[in-house]
Amino acid sequence: TCTLRGCCWSPESNTSVPWCFFSSNHGYKVDGSIRSTEAGFETTLTRLPSPSFFGNDINIVLLTGEYQTPNRFRFKITDPKTHRFEVPHEHVRSFTGSTASNLNYKVDV
């Protein structure tokens, strides 16, 4: 069963499967190619025509992914056209390494 805002509800006995999810025609889709970077990848995402939770959605965003360590993946979603304030944090610095190997996770975009 899906609501007007696109959230679907399907109780499962398997606890590793989320009960609430969005259908594949909701959210964003990859627009173009996935480009490799020194630490991971980046790609442009385009908003699908679907209901909005908060309004004022950004139609085109940049997804940046970094394979920082075998146990840590970092992703960041930004507006490529408008710089926005980001809260500074003393422990969160730019990653300067290269792509980690022997990953304990898999990322599908």
Side-chain angles (χ1 to χ4, degrees):
T1 310
C2 297
T3 67
L4 290 175
R5 292 187 180 243
C7 180
C8 301
W9 178 261
S10 179
E12 300 286 334
S13 58
N14 182 348
T15 58
S16 66
V17 176
W19 287 12
C20 187
F21 58 92
F22 290 99
S23 64
S24 60
N25 64 351
H26 195 87
Y28 290 79
K29 69 174 181 169
V30 173
D31 185 13
S33 63
I34 298 175
R35 300 167 296 281
S36 294
T37 64
E38 186 177 323
F41 67 86
E42 68 178 23
T43 190
T44 302
L45 304 178
T46 302
R47 187 174 183 281
L48 296 170
S50 56
S52 172
F53 280 111
F54 306 106
N56 244 359
D57 294 331
I58 301 169
N59 289 320
I60 297 173
V61 297
L62 178 67
L63 169 64
T64 305
E66 296 175 345
Y67 304 102
Q68 293 186 343
T69 72
N71 294 315
R72 184 178 66 225
F73 174 76
R74 178 180 185 241
F75 72 92
K76 187 175 182 178
I77 298 172
T78 56
D79 181 346
K81 294 182 179 178
T82 306
H83 179 73
R84 294 173 183 247
F85 175 76
E86 294 183 32
V87 177
H89 191 287
E90 64 190 49
H91 300 296
V92 179
R93 296 184 181 91
S94 295
F95 183 67
T96 56
S98 57
T99 301
S101 57
N102 300 321
L103 303 176
N104 293 318
Y105 53 87
K106 181 182 177 197
V107 176
D108 290 320
V109 180

